[in-house]
Amino acid sequence: MEKPRGRASKRRGAASQGPAQHLEQTPQPGSDARDRSDPEAPEGQAAAPHIVSSAHLVSPRSPELSELEFGLIVANSAFSRWMVHCMAAAGLPDLTPLDVRVLHHVNHRERDKRLSDICFVMNEDTHVISYALKKLQALGVVEASRKGKDVTYATSAQGREHVRRYTEHREAFLVAALDPDEAQNQKLGELARLLRRLSGVYDQAARAAASL
């Protein structure tokens, strides 16, 4: 005859079920299961998994940071391709994404700029910007001039023409495809401010890592 179970056995059974249920609700970060519950998701519906490219880097404190980093990687690749192809359509087919960025910044506000100022604004090393400027000078789209002890850079008439064509293509292909309304523009502005804040955090973390 089977003996009835006591309270102790019931407590042990409940305790053995508790951790299993807890693990199902909070799976390990980076797994294929849902990482966290989404407060905006309808009740009873599981949240979408975090999309990351390096599960081993996912922190339990912020899996969203890894998801953001993957988004940055994908967006940077797409943005780089866009810049290269748009500038090629504007008449300069042999530029790298950095070359395109340097050309646009040199042309910014039609104001002569020193090498140090370009490096500071673009957050790049001097030798990297210097190489890009020499390449742009060889193509005839950037000109250098001396003002006292300083060497400054500006776009030539040919360079300004390529930038003008780039602007036209950007308006026709990129802005028209996005077709942003007022609400979208507000979100884009908020995202831009967030990215600028994050760049400062990453710079500070890079300096800390370099000090090791």
Side-chain angles (χ1 to χ4, degrees), residues 51-109:
I51 301 174
V52 300
S53 62
S54 303
H56 58 279
L57 296 178
V58 177
S59 169
R61 296 177 62 185
S62 181
E64 291 82 2
L65 182 60
S66 290
E67 191 169 18
L68 171 66
E69 289 175 341
F70 180 53
L72 289 175
I73 293 170
V74 175
N76 180 64
S77 297
F79 183 48
S80 296
R81 282 194 300 272
W82 155 252
M83 286 188 291
V84 169
H85 286 294
C86 187
M87 188 55 79
L92 288 176
D94 299 321
L95 299 188
T96 66
L98 178 63
D99 297 332
V100 176
R101 288 164 47 204
V102 171
L103 178 60
H104 283 307
H105 183 62
V106 171
N107 189 74
H108 177 57
R109 302 191 189 283

Side-chain angles (χ1 to χ4, degrees), residues 155-175:
T155 47
S156 64
Q158 179 184 350
R160 290 190 293 273
E161 177 60 21
H162 286 301
V163 170
R164 184 191 65 79
R165 294 176 190 171
Y166 184 104
T167 303
E168 290 180 351
H169 293 327
R170 182 179 184 272
E171 194 71 25
F173 302 139
L174 182 63
V175 179

Side-chain angles (χ1 to χ4, degrees), residues 10 14 18 32 71 90 118 128 135 161 182 187 196 203 208:
K10 289 183 180 181
D32 293 334
I118 299 173
V128 174
K135 181 177 179 179
E161 177 60 21
E182 185 176 352
K187 290 182 179 179
R196 287 195 295 270
D203 274 340

Side-chain angles (χ1 to χ4, degrees), residues 120-131:
F120 178 73
V121 172
M122 298 191 67
N123 198 24
E124 290 284 356
D125 294 331
T126 302
H127 71 278
V128 174
I129 299 298
S130 180
Y131 181 83

